[in-house]
């Protein structure tokens, strides 16, 4: 529970002493003010719930697209802007957001591209992919069908970096799910782009919907993305080819206060941004391997 957390004695519990509240289901002020210890001291066998103050907040997606390119075949790339409240969220996901901004600035507003390229910086990923879900829901059926491909970048500078590509066809035996046809092309192009950026043997990672591509694949849009790893541990074989520390998390500061400015492997971030730029550029020019929808 964050700041402003209160302990509420659950008045919906039928076994509660009447002194806690007159109306079942309504938490009386006195109960809210009681701590768990106080309730126990007072001999109340209450069910104790931890509750966080609910605040209504507005979150926004930031979307920008090229003025050029075929509007009927849009290549989208996105990264979430929000973090968990525990920390600044520099690797998760300042890294993906900044990398995507760099690619967008270098591509420019009016590249001579075949496809329109649309960038999205999502809000409210951490509370359940809310920004991306609302975006996909908000499109007309026709505009959804215009999406040729979605590429996602969530955590691309982990301090003990893995070089991982979403396993879009679920052929790598990593769990997750096979994505819509074309997701395997995204996986292949991103893998080749990492190799060209100097990475030895990039590996697949579960395509399980744990980030903003989830609502896109649910809508049938082929998708892919890069990831340098969160709480999972680097294997000895991975440390051998990529460096870093075997047996330690890719990002031991994942969702904690230490996800600050020092929580970035700049070499990993650099290779990822290079690979992002070349993959986005490839699909802006050439949609070979991405089926028409
Ligand atoms: N979406 C997760 C988060 O923001 C990170 C993550 C990305 C985990 C991709 C697994 C795969 O916390
Ligand atoms: Zn996160
Ligand atoms: Zn994230
Ligand atoms: Zn695969």
């Amino acid at each position: 529970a964050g700041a402003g957390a209160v302990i509420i004695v659950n008045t919906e519990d039928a076994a509660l002493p009447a002194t806690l509240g007159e109306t079942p289901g309504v938490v009386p002020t006195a109960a809210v003010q009681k701590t768990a210890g106080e309730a126990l001291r007072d001999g109340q066998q209450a069910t104790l719930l931890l509750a966080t103050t609910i605040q209504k907040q507005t979150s926004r997606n930031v979307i920008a697209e090229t003025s050029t390119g075929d509007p009927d075949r849009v290549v989208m790339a996105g990264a979430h802007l929000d973090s968990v409240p525990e920390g600044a969220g520099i690797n998760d996901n300042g890294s993906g957001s900044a990398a995507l901004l760099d690619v967008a600035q270098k591509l420019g507003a009016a590249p001579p591209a075949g496809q329109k390229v649309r960038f999205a910086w999502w809000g409210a990923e951490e509370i359940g992919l809310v920004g991306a879900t609302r975006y996909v829901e908000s499109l007309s059926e026709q505009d959804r069908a215009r999406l040729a491909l979605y590429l996602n970048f969530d955590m691309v500078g982990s301090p003990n970096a893995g070089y991982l590509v979403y396993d879009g066809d679920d052929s790598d035996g990593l769990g997750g799910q096979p994505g819509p046809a074309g997701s395997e092309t995204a996986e292949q192009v991103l893998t080749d782009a990492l190799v060209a950026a100097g990475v030895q043997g990039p590996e697949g990672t579960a395509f399980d919907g744990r980030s903003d591509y989830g609502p896109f694949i649910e809508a049938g849009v082929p998708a892919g993305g890069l990831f340098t790893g969160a709480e999972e541990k680097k294997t000895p074989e991975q440390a051998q080819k990529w460096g870093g520390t075997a047996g330690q998390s890719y990002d031991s500061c994942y969702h904690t206060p230490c996800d600050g400015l020092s929580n970035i492997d700049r070499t990993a971030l650099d290779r990822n941004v290079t690979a992002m730029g070349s993959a986005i550029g490839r699909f802006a020019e050439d949609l070979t391997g991405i089926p028409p929808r």
Side-chain angles (χ1 to χ4, degrees), residues 166-172 187:
Y166 298 160
D167 179 19
D169 50 7
D170 195 30
S171 70
D172 304 15
E187 182 182 358

Side-chain angles (χ1 to χ4, degrees), residues 161-165 190-204 234 236-243 267 271:
Y163 292 92
L164 306 171
V165 183
L190 285 164
T191 301
D192 293 347
L194 277 178
V195 170
V199 176
Q200 250 189 79
E203 295 180 13
K234 185 176 274 188
E237 295 74 26
Q238 292 174 335
Q240 191 80 27
K241 60 182 173 182
W242 298 331
T267 302
R271 290 169 167 169

Side-chain angles (χ1 to χ4, degrees), residues 154-165:
D154 184 1
M155 307 180 70
V156 292
S158 303
N160 187 31
Y163 292 92
L164 306 171
V165 183

Side-chain angles (χ1 to χ4, degrees), residues 80 82 84 92-93 125-126 129 152 154-155 166 205-206 208 210-213 226-227 229-231 254-255:
H80 75 84
D82 61 311
V84 292
D92 180 15
N93 185 32
E125 186 266 359
E126 297 285 7
L129 319 180
N152 193 63
D154 184 1
M155 307 180 70
Y166 298 160
T205 188
D208 56 6
R210 246 183 95 182
S211 189
D212 294 302
Y213 63 90
L226 298 176
F227 180 47
E231 74 281 9
Y254 176 61
H255 284 190

Side-chain angles (χ1 to χ4, degrees), residues 21-38:
E22 301 300 315
T23 318
V26 173
V27 180
T29 314
V32 174
Q33 287 171 347
K34 241 175 219 204
T35 66
E38 285 163 352

